Amino acid sequence: MKEQLTVLKNEALAAIAEVSALQALEDLRVRFLGKKGEVTAVLKQMGGLSPEERPAIGQLANELSEKLTEAIAARRAELEALFLDVRLGAEKLDVTIPGTAREVGKQHVLKKTLDEAMEIFIGMGFTIAEGPEVELSANNFDKLNAPEAHPSRDWGDTFYFDQDSQYLLRTQTSPVQVRVMESQKPPIRVVSPGRVYRKDEVDATHSPMFHQIEGLVVDKGITMADLKGTLNALIQQLYGAETQTRFRPHHFPFTEPSCEVDCQCFKCRGAGCAMCKGEGWIELLGAGMVHPNVLRNCGIDPDEYSGFAFGMGLDRMTMMRYNISDLRLIFENDLRFLRQF
Ligand code: DAH
């Protein structure tokens, strides 16, 4: 039996030394030391030994089982360390390899000017209103008090969708005034930026699609002084506190009285230069007191309420602000141009 244990020991130790996978090692443990294992089987035969032999063989068997347990644990530690090394090697990350650069976008120059203007209006308590680009003629012209024969209604100037001239691409942001007054009660204080469309040939200062910002204030007791105060505040925040403004009489169907507002040329400060074409002044926007007919058309009593409105060209504003000489550059999406701002 002694020899049997020695053979078993050599066989087991050789097998353990050779094994190269954790599962195979576990299988060896079961094979030799498990309940039905080979060492256990030898121990079970000890009943057949004489009482003199038993302690010596028992001790040998215990030593063998301890030795094998140790050998298996040592081999397991070895294998685990080996596998960890292999895994760390495979998962190694080289942080010095150059990465793939991501292109970072930029705000469009038009959006920059728009955000600046909106910031100022919001600071003055305005909220932003929106209206559709496909409009009813009724909102774009009729309710805004445009006479039947007004030149802007002409098919040569306006994109209509139907023979009856009922639907069109809005020619101005002013129809948003109608939509706001029909859906909100005064006090009203809104600005509405957006695209507008006219049948213009493309050149350095014209495009069939361009952008306006509309403004509307309606409340009790609103006067021309409120209009001037608001627009002066806007212009001074945009172009500097010392900027002079000039209000010239004008005509718009939807306002009475109407005016055009100029600001002192911010380049030459009024002396006359190429920017202002020698005038010293730059035309900025149209404005006026909302015509009583318009208030009435939108369900607001002109005896109780009054208001002012204004409309300005965002593209023109952007061109002046960033010294852009050709409107087409703003819409052509040439990154070499757009990246400058
Ligand atoms: N809608 C006018 C245009 O496109 C601009 C304008 C002028 C808007 C006077 C207004 C205003 O609200 O009061 O030329």
Side-chain angles (χ1 to χ4, degrees), residues 10 26 38 62 65 155 160 165 172 210 230 275 278 310 325:
N10 292 338
E26 172 63 11
E38 294 183 26
N62 279 336
S65 119
W155 273 72
Y160 288 100
S165 314
Q172 49 189 357
F210 57 104
T230 304
M275 167 80 101
F310 56 89
S325 56

Side-chain angles (χ1 to χ4, degrees), residues 15-298:
I16 290 167
E18 250 171 50
V19 85
S20 62
L22 287 170
Q23 184 54 51
L25 187 64
E26 172 63 11
D27 291 345
L28 285 182
R29 190 191 64 75
V30 174
R31 178 177 147 200
F32 291 107
L33 301 173
K35 258 188 198 156
K36 293 177 185 165
E38 294 183 26
V39 177
T40 319
V42 174
L43 287 172
K44 275 183 186 156
Q45 294 168 27
M46 279 181 38
L49 295 176
S50 67
E52 298 81 47
E53 282 175 311
R54 226 178 273 161
I57 297 293
Q59 198 188 345
L60 271 181
N62 279 336
E63 277 170 15
L64 173 58
S65 119
E66 260 169 45
K67 191 152 185 99
L68 292 188
T69 306
E70 266 170 35
I72 287 172
R75 185 65 184 146
R76 169 170 293 129
E78 242 173 63
L79 286 177
E80 278 173 353
L82 190 71
F83 294 150
L84 186 63
D85 271 355
V86 170
R87 237 180 77 191
L88 287 179
E91 290 176 1
K92 195 158 63 183
L93 192 69
D94 184 350
V95 292
T96 65
I97 294 174
T100 344
R102 250 172 213 255
E103 281 228 42
V104 179
K106 245 183 134 174
Q107 207 167 35
H108 193 280
V109 63
L110 208 58
K111 181 69 165 51
K112 258 173 99 148
T113 317
L114 176 63
D115 281 358
E116 268 176 65
M118 288 300 122
E119 192 81 8
I120 296 171
F121 283 122
I122 287 165
M124 291 195 280
F126 283 78
T127 54
I128 297 173
E130 277 189 275
E133 289 170 29
V134 176
E135 247 309 356
L136 296 165
S137 268
N139 291 343
N140 194 86
F141 293 126
D142 304 340
K143 290 179 183 173
L144 287 172
N145 202 38
E148 212 46 62
H150 197 270
S152 64
R153 290 184 184 253
D154 198 280
W155 273 72
D157 293 328
T158 298
F159 294 103
Y160 288 100
F161 287 98
D162 57 323
Q163 283 301 317
D164 306 331
S165 314
Q166 279 199 64
Y167 302 96
L168 43 70
L169 285 174
R170 65 179 180 189
T171 63
Q172 49 189 357
T173 42
S174 304
V176 182
Q177 290 188 34
V178 175
R179 290 179 175 271
V180 168
M181 285 191 276
E182 285 184 340
S183 63
Q184 272 172 244
K185 287 202 177 334
I188 290 169
R189 208 185 297 168
V190 294
V191 276
S192 184
R195 284 191 188 101
V196 302
Y197 302 85
R198 290 179 199 174
K199 283 190 185 167
D200 282 328
E201 293 292 337
V202 177
D203 66 23
T205 52
H206 292 88
S207 159
M209 183 281 299
F210 57 104
H211 300 79
Q212 289 186 331
I213 303 177
E214 191 78 15
L216 174 71
V217 172
V218 181
D219 202 351
K220 288 182 177 156
I222 296 290
T223 70
M224 196 93 183
D226 298 303
L227 181 159
K228 287 188 76 174
T230 304
L231 294 178
N232 278 338
L234 167 73
I235 291 165
Q236 283 165 6
Q237 285 185 70
L238 278 175
Y239 299 113
E242 69 289 1
T243 312
Q244 300 289 315
T245 54
R246 181 169 79 171
F247 291 71
R248 277 182 291 106
H250 200 75
H251 171 79
F252 297 106
F254 32 83
T255 43
E256 182 59 37
S258 304
C259 59
E260 275 191 336
V261 184
D262 305 332
C263 76
Q264 201 180 44
C265 177
F266 40 79
K267 208 138 186 230
C268 63
R269 289 285 159 203
C273 68
M275 167 80 101
C276 58
K277 299 196 180 81
E279 297 273 320
W281 295 94
I282 289 174
E283 182 195 317
L284 277 188
L285 51 90
M289 301 306 292
V290 181
H291 198 294
N293 286 349
V294 175
L295 291 173
R296 217 173 280 120
N297 291 341
C298 300

